[in-house]
Amino acid sequence: MAEVEATATAGRPRLYSYWRSSCSHRARIALNLKGVDYEYKAVNLLKGEQSDPEFLKLNPMKFVPALVDDDAVIGDSYAIALYLEDKYPDPPLLPQDPKKKALNHQIANIVSSGIQPLHNLSVLRFIEQKVGAGESVSWTQQQIERGFTAIENLIQQKGCGGKYATGDEIQLADVFLAPQIYAAIERTKIDMSNYPTLARLHALYMAHPAFQAALPAKQPDAPSCT
């Protein structure tokens, strides 16, 4: 891992990221949508670099991403997205309407607290050790499918009938959905025919430049780039 620095270069934030991390993926999308030029610092989770004492100063939870912006240090993808929303309000990721804003937070929270943490690397390793080899696959699929069913229903019922998840503009819900859908398709092989709305959104995300640039395979630390 590159040397950790607690203060970013003036005017250019630094993102500590891992190419395959869906949480890092969210932060990259948010930065791209806001048009923020940032410096990429790789943290290899498989090598345990998140436990480096210097990195712990940025994120005591040993998670990526971590964003350093001047003297601000934010070690959570949700907090990073909201920080960027406040600092760079245009284009907005949250609508003014309270109901639509709540829907964005609800969908983002389902992803960030109801799906992704239940199948992160430490959880899967624990399942493999305690239950048996290969058991983590069915666990992961179950957690994703449960969350996707809830989100599919939410969007159909309250998504405002727009182009994206909660309207005609890309918003916070899309920032969180895109990496989770991508990982579900590419890594977990979820059958997206069960989630036609999410499948439609995935196609839109994959065609958008800000989302394309944030894809795991396009990051400096992706295996194909090393």
Side-chain angles (χ1 to χ4, degrees):
M1 182 177 67
E3 182 181 356
V4 171
E5 298 176 46
T7 304
T9 304
R12 193 171 187 230
R14 180 182 299 112
L15 181 70
Y16 291 85
S17 172
Y18 179 59
W19 69 280
R20 202 180 182 195
S21 159
S22 62
C23 297
S24 297
H25 194 168
R26 300 169 197 159
R28 296 193 299 262
I29 291 172
L31 286 161
N32 292 345
L33 288 170
K34 294 295 187 179
V36 179
D37 177 30
Y38 67 94
E39 181 182 359
Y40 188 103
K41 292 289 187 181
V43 180
N44 192 321
L45 303 185
L46 297 182
K47 293 182 178 180
E49 291 180 348
Q50 69 275 23
S51 297
D52 185 289
E54 290 301 311
F55 182 74
L56 291 180
K57 296 176 183 178
L58 303 183
N59 193 340
M61 284 294 289
K62 303 181 183 181
F63 293 156
V64 288
L67 182 73
V68 178
D69 185 22
D70 293 329
D71 60 349
V73 180
I74 307 108
D76 175 82
S77 63
Y78 210 126
I80 288 171
L82 296 182
Y83 172 82
L84 294 173
E85 178 72 355
D86 287 337
K87 185 169 182 179
Y88 307 98
D90 188 35
L93 293 179
L94 286 169
Q96 293 298 311
D97 179 82
K99 293 180 181 179
K100 292 181 181 179
K101 182 181 290 186
L103 179 60
N104 271 272
H105 283 299
Q106 185 174 359
I107 292 172
N109 267 303
I110 290 174
V111 172
S112 65
S113 63
I115 302 178
Q116 187 274 327
L118 299 178
H119 65 87
N120 67 20
L121 187 59
S122 61
V123 172
L124 299 185
R125 283 175 172 169
F126 182 84
I127 291 173
E128 294 283 332
Q129 292 170 0
K130 298 296 182 179
V131 183
E135 294 299 320
S136 64
V137 175
S138 59
W139 167 265
T140 298
Q141 291 173 337
Q142 181 185 34
Q143 304 315 312
I144 293 174
E145 289 170 351
R146 180 170 64 93
F148 277 9
T149 298
I151 295 171
E152 180 83 10
N153 291 334
L154 266 177
I155 294 175
Q156 289 181 358
Q157 294 168 10
K158 304 178 182 179
C160 312
K163 180 178 180 181
Y164 293 101
T166 60
D168 287 329
E169 304 297 329
I170 293 170
Q171 295 182 331
L172 187 71
D174 302 293
V175 171
F176 279 71
L177 275 174
Q180 187 64 67
I181 298 172
Y182 178 87
I185 293 172
E186 297 296 324
R187 291 157 54 183
T188 318
K189 310 303 179 186
I190 295 293
D191 182 4
M192 294 302 294
S193 66
N194 295 321
Y195 314 103
T197 303
L198 298 185
R200 177 183 65 80
L201 290 172
H202 176 66
L204 291 173
Y205 301 149
M206 293 296 287
H208 193 287
F211 289 81
Q212 290 174 344
L215 287 171
K218 294 190 177 182
Q219 305 318 303
D221 56 329
S224 59
C225 299
T226 57

